[in-house]
């Protein structure tokens, strides 16, 4: 039915803007290679958390092979990703107001 991945990073305050900019460029680039997009959020500790959606785990693997974006990331601490198999998808399309 689909595949989702949760990513989590801690980023020093002075790198927040650079991190968000790099995340946006990387996410848009991966959308050109099969990603269904991602949502970047912040948790209660201030860590950045992204939920990325993919049609399948195979599509994600292929996108990362095909989509080389060799731009460096700002200094971050990246935590182990959480991989999820979608069981029931009740998301609506773009329910959030645009920033």
């Amino acid at each position: 039915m689909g595949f989702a991945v949760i990513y989590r990073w801690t980023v020093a305050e002075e790198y927040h803007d650079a991190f968000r900019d790099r995340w946006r460029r990387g996410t848009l680039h991966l959308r050109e290679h099969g990603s269904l997009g991602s949502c970047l959020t912040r948790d209660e500790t201030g860590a950045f958390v992204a939920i990325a959606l993919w049609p399948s785990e195979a599509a994600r693997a292929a996108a990362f092979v095909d989509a080389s974006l060799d731009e460096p990331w700002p200094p971050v601490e990246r935590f182990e990703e959480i991989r999820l198999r979608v069981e029931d998808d009740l998301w609506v399309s773009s329910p959030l107001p645009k920033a």
Side-chain angles (χ1 to χ4, degrees):
M1 173 162 227
F3 183 69
V5 181
I6 298 174
Y7 302 97
R8 185 169 173 259
W9 306 266
T10 55
V11 181
E13 181 77 31
E14 65 265 25
Y15 296 111
H16 283 187
D17 289 342
F19 173 81
R20 290 180 66 206
D21 184 58
R22 176 60 179 86
W23 176 86
R24 281 187 207 102
R25 285 194 316 278
T27 296
L28 292 172
H29 185 71
L30 286 168
R31 280 178 35 184
E32 296 172 2
H33 294 271
S35 167
L36 299 175
S38 184
C39 178
L40 184 64
T41 66
R42 300 282 293 276
D43 71 12
E44 66 278 355
T45 70
F48 287 94
V49 180
I51 303 169
L53 300 177
W54 297 88
S56 68
E57 192 166 359
R60 177 182 179 266
F64 277 95
V65 169
D66 293 343
S68 68
L69 186 61
D70 294 331
E71 293 180 41
W73 286 84
V76 300
E77 178 183 1
R78 183 175 174 179
F79 296 88
E80 187 172 334
E81 62 189 43
I82 300 170
R83 295 170 175 231
L84 307 166
R85 184 182 68 240
V86 176
E87 295 289 330
D88 292 302
D89 180 3
L90 299 179
W91 290 99
V92 295
S93 178
S94 300
L96 302 173
K98 298 295 180 201

